[in-house]
Amino acid sequence: MAKNTVNQDEKVIALKGKDILFRLVKYMKPYGVKIAAVLLLMLIVTGVGLLSPMLLKIAIDDFIDAKDVKGLALIGAGLIGLNLISMYASKYATFNMNKTTHNILRTIRQELYEHIQKLSFAFFDERPVGKILARVVGDVNSLSELFNKSVTTVIPQVLTLVFVTIIMFSMNVKLALVSMAMIPPLCVGLAGIQIISRKRWQVFRQKRSNLNGFTHESFSGMRIIQNFTFEKESGKRFKNSVGEMRSGFINAVKLNDWLWPIVEVSFGASTLIVFLVGANLARSGEVSIGTITAFISYTSMFWRPILNIASYYNTLITNFAAAERIFEIMDVKPGIDELESADVMPKIKGRVEFENVSFAYEKDTQVLHNVSFKVKPGENIALVGPTGAGKTTITSLISRFYDTTEGRVLIDGKDVSKVNLNSLRSQMGVMLQDTFLFSDSIKENIRYGKLDATDEEIIAAAKAVSAHDFIMKLEKGYDTQVNERGSRLSVGQRQLISFARALLANPRILILDEATSNIDTATEILVQKGINKLLSGRTSFVIAHRLSTIRDCDRIMVIDDGEIVEAGTHEELLNLRGAYYKLYMAQYSFLREGA
């Protein structure tokens, strides 16, 4: 049973804010030099901003009263020059930080993708693909503003705040203190918003993930939707998903919108207090008009960083949910653990052994029960039995797509759980009933079996499985592009290409899971010749419901309810008149009645 459906909210493990920040900062470390350069430029911008009010104070107190035109002109020219430098420094810093941010996001996305590739089939069994895509694409993109502003906004603004505070206290302690009177109530308001807002943004991202999951599933199943005229109902469900995402976004934004009024009111009240107290101090002669003018500018400069930091704080709250969802996936440990000391699997000879193997996909639901058997190198084994009996599970354990619940799987005497996965799977060929082709040319799809294969080897493999003739009749032959999953080709044609891919891999152990089920009888006769060539000298496991295709196998094992109930050659099992005999006669009678 899936961990959640496309309409079910995901349960994401909440992380502490400091832990999220620490992990995000780690991605910035490799770009330390570039970030330092950006910071230096931002310090120039900050320095110009801090110097401007001081120059204005000097102009008012020293040059206006003295009617020093030359001095005023110099200060004016200095301000223009400094602000031009500041403008270009800010522009260059922003450009470089944007570039660095995209590099960081690329690193996170690559790391996330590579980690997901290492996860076991169980991970994908439990999650809709659309929800995984939402994290790799949407959630990673959401971190862009967070990284960007952390350097171009937060650090310079914090430094500005510190320097402005020092300047204000050096100018007048009373005015400095009253200008900060609104800080405590502001902090209380922001803390309250943060607690509720983060939960609301989590809900929004869950709803957005649901929409992505539903959309992906709908497009993947569009043939079914159109075939059963399900468009109207599917449209309603899509509308509901969009509505839930919209409601989640509005609820989150409504709360975030309170942030600005709180900060703006605090800023306005602080400015008013400074103006009133400053007027009284000016009347008593404690401060000059130039000092008050400069102080009001510094008060504005004091609150501007607070506004910008509050904006970043808003961004932080908004994107914490995205970071949580990314790190939750990264924290998922592969179900198939590979030991650091795992041995490299030598060239496989093909001896396979199951020792008292039991397996369950979920607790209390065993699929295999104490299965034991031995297969000699080069032996061809057929697995037959009713649907859900455990045939595919046996082959999945051989390739170690899952680990046994109990018992061991041995290849050439080596426990597959203790060898390097790549060295094991690279020597195996798996051909499934549900053939998957990539959005690429037919040639490149076959080349997946052997990445360094020549065109001649690819053509030879295609000829061996009788795929060459139909490929050459296509528009561009082997260079013909196939759509996602090979939708431009028939089911039988896709399986033939997949066969050529498996042949090209030249595996030591071959697994065919209902590989010829969708090929017509005439084509199957041709393909069977190619299969016989491939099976020669290799250990193979063939899963088939069409019993006529496995008559020549060295041994047939009948699987029922997770156990091997019979094993032998075709003739031996027929003579037993047991489970295999009943399956064979039932299929024979069905075909005869159909004829």
Side-chain angles (χ1 to χ4, degrees):
M1 193 173 198
K3 188 173 184 178
N4 57 62
T5 64
V6 294
N7 297 315
Q8 184 179 349
D9 292 343
E10 299 170 279
K11 293 182 179 179
V12 179
I13 300 172
L15 299 175
K16 294 180 180 178
K18 64 177 182 179
D19 293 334
I20 294 175
L21 285 175
F22 178 75
R23 294 178 71 165
L24 291 173
V25 167
K26 284 201 303 183
Y27 288 101
M28 300 173 73
K29 286 183 178 179
Y31 304 93
V33 175
K34 292 183 178 180
I35 291 173
V38 171
L39 279 174
L40 181 61
L41 291 170
M42 294 308 299
L43 284 174
I44 292 172
V45 175
T46 301
V48 171
L50 292 170
L51 192 58
S52 294
M54 190 62 68
L55 291 175
L56 184 62
K57 175 184 179 298
I58 294 170
I60 293 173
D61 288 346
D62 297 344
F63 295 121
I64 290 180
D65 286 343
K67 297 180 181 181
D68 187 345
V69 177
K70 186 178 178 180
L72 286 172
L74 285 172
I75 286 182
L79 284 170
I80 292 172
L82 287 171
N83 280 281
L84 283 173
I85 293 172
S86 174
M87 181 180 70
Y88 282 106
S90 178
K91 183 179 179 180
Y92 191 72
T94 301
F95 172 79
N96 278 278
M97 194 58 215
N98 281 334
K99 187 177 179 180
T100 300
T101 294
H102 283 292
N103 287 333
I104 292 172
L105 295 186
R106 182 179 62 186
T107 300
I108 293 175
R109 187 175 281 114
Q110 185 69 28
E111 185 177 316
L112 180 59
Y113 180 79
E114 290 177 358
H115 176 73
I116 290 173
Q117 283 192 115
K118 296 175 183 177
L119 299 179
S120 64
F121 284 0
F123 172 83
F124 299 96
D125 293 340
E126 295 172 349
R127 292 166 176 81
V129 174
K131 292 192 175 186
I132 300 173
L133 286 174
R135 303 200 190 199
V136 176
V137 180
D139 290 333
V140 173
N141 285 342
S142 297
L143 300 179
S144 175
E145 194 176 7
L146 189 148
F147 280 113
N148 213 339
K149 285 188 174 182
S150 67
V151 177
T152 59
T153 299
V154 176
I155 297 175
Q157 297 303 321
V158 168
L159 291 174
T160 300
L161 199 60
V162 171
F163 289 132
V164 168
T165 302
I166 293 170
I167 292 171
M168 288 169 68
F169 272 96
S170 66
M171 290 176 68
N172 191 284
V173 175
K174 289 182 181 178
L175 289 177
L177 289 173
V178 298
S179 67
M180 300 176 187
M182 296 302 298
I183 295 294
L186 175 64
C187 291
V188 173
L190 292 179
I193 289 175
Q194 187 269 340
I195 294 171
I196 304 172
S197 182
R198 184 174 172 184
K199 292 179 180 178
R200 292 193 180 183
W201 282 111
Q202 287 173 340
V203 171
F204 162 69
R205 295 200 179 277
Q206 287 173 347
K207 300 303 181 185
R208 192 177 70 172
S209 179
N210 290 350
L211 176 63
N212 285 335
F214 175 79
T215 305
H216 182 273
E217 186 177 74
S218 298
F219 290 161
S220 297
M222 190 53 66
R223 291 178 185 270
I224 303 299
I225 290 175
Q226 292 182 356
N227 186 55
F228 288 94
T229 63
F230 201 68
E231 293 93 338
K232 187 175 288 186
E233 179 61 29
S234 183
K236 288 180 181 177
R237 295 183 182 182
F238 180 80
K239 186 177 181 179
N240 289 337
S241 292
V242 172
E244 288 181 354
M245 185 186 77
R246 176 179 174 273
S247 298
F249 179 76
I250 290 173
N251 285 337
V253 169
K254 275 182 179 177
L255 186 62
N256 273 35
D257 284 347
W258 279 100
L259 182 73
W260 299 112
I262 291 174
V263 176
E264 291 285 359
V265 168
S266 300
F267 170 48
S270 179
T271 304
L272 181 61
I273 293 170
V274 169
F275 183 80
L276 293 174
V277 173
N280 287 329
L281 292 176
R283 280 197 294 268
S284 64
E286 289 188 39
V287 294
S288 66
I289 298 299
T291 299
I292 294 174
T293 303
F295 207 94
I296 290 175
S297 295
Y298 279 120
T299 301
S300 176
M301 290 180 67
F302 176 80
W303 279 92
R304 195 181 306 138
I306 292 177
L307 286 169
N308 291 329
I309 292 170
S311 174
Y312 178 77
Y313 184 68
N314 195 14
T315 301
L316 202 63
I317 295 170
T318 303
N319 293 301
F320 258 16
E324 276 180 333
R325 289 163 55 80
I326 292 168
F327 291 138
E328 190 222 12
I329 294 290
M330 287 187 175
D331 290 340
V332 174
K333 293 183 179 180
I336 305 301
D337 293 326
E338 186 172 87
L339 300 175
E340 291 184 9
S341 58
D343 296 327
V344 173
M345 189 74 187
K347 186 176 180 179
I348 291 176
K349 296 177 181 178
R351 187 172 73 255
V352 178
E353 184 175 357
F354 272 47
E355 288 185 350
N356 305 314
V357 171
S358 295
F359 177 77
Y361 290 103
E362 297 179 359
K363 291 181 179 179
D364 305 323
T365 310
Q366 271 203 340
V367 179
L368 297 179
H369 311 277
N370 198 34
V371 173
S372 296
F373 62 82
K374 293 181 180 181
V375 176
K376 299 175 183 178
E379 194 172 6
N380 301 328
I381 305 298
L383 302 176
V384 301
T387 301
K391 304 183 295 296
T392 300
T393 301
I394 288 175
T395 58
S396 294
L397 292 174
I398 294 171
S399 301
R400 207 194 166 200
F401 290 129
Y402 300 94
D403 274 333
T404 61
T405 305
E406 295 177 11
R408 297 192 303 165
V409 177
L410 306 172
I411 295 180
D412 295 342
K414 290 184 175 291
D415 189 336
V416 296
S417 66
K418 296 179 181 178
V419 299
N420 177 270
L421 279 175
N422 186 63
S423 65
L424 171 69
R425 293 175 182 168
S426 63
Q427 299 188 69
M428 293 189 174
V430 181
M431 172 112 183
L432 306 174
Q433 179 180 5
D434 183 18
T435 302
F436 190 95
L437 297 182
F438 296 92
S439 299
D440 209 331
S441 67
I442 290 175
K443 182 193 297 180
E444 293 307 316
N445 267 285
I446 296 175
R447 205 191 299 274
Y448 266 90
K450 182 184 177 186
L451 296 179
D452 60 349
T454 64
D455 290 354
E456 289 74 21
E457 289 176 313
I458 291 171
I459 293 171
K463 285 181 177 179
V465 297
S466 305
H468 178 74
D469 290 343
F470 92 78
I471 292 174
M472 293 306 296
K473 291 177 183 178
L474 296 174
E475 179 185 358
K476 295 182 180 179
Y478 284 86
D479 291 320
T480 301
Q481 296 289 317
V482 298
N483 295 339
E484 184 180 3
R485 303 186 71 89
S487 59
R488 291 182 61 184
L489 304 173
S490 70
V491 174
Q493 288 173 332
R494 295 201 297 269
Q495 284 193 314
L496 288 174
I497 291 173
S498 182
F499 247 82
R501 182 166 61 197
L503 277 165
L504 190 62
N506 192 24
R508 305 305 305 159
I509 295 177
L510 181 66
I511 296 170
L512 305 179
D513 190 346
E514 287 292 333
T516 62
S517 61
N518 293 316
I519 299 176
D520 61 83
T521 305
T523 304
E524 184 182 342
I525 294 172
L526 297 174
V527 172
Q528 198 65 46
K529 293 179 181 179
I531 292 176
N532 291 337
K533 292 179 183 178
L534 178 64
L535 298 184
S536 178
R538 293 181 177 85
T539 304
S540 62
F541 293 83
V542 182
I543 298 175
H545 285 105
R546 199 184 301 177
L547 301 184
S548 59
T549 63
I550 47 93
R551 294 180 60 173
D552 296 329
C553 286
D554 297 322
R555 196 173 3 148
I556 298 169
M557 292 194 287
V558 183
I559 315 298
D560 193 9
D561 195 24
E563 297 179 345
I564 300 174
V565 295
E566 287 179 356
T569 64
H570 173 72
E571 289 75 15
E572 288 172 347
L573 293 179
L574 286 181
N575 291 333
L576 282 177
R577 291 181 174 270
Y580 181 76
Y581 176 82
K582 292 178 182 177
L583 284 172
Y584 187 81
M585 295 307 297
Q587 194 170 107
Y588 178 75
S589 298
F590 175 77
L591 293 173
R592 185 173 58 184
E593 289 172 6

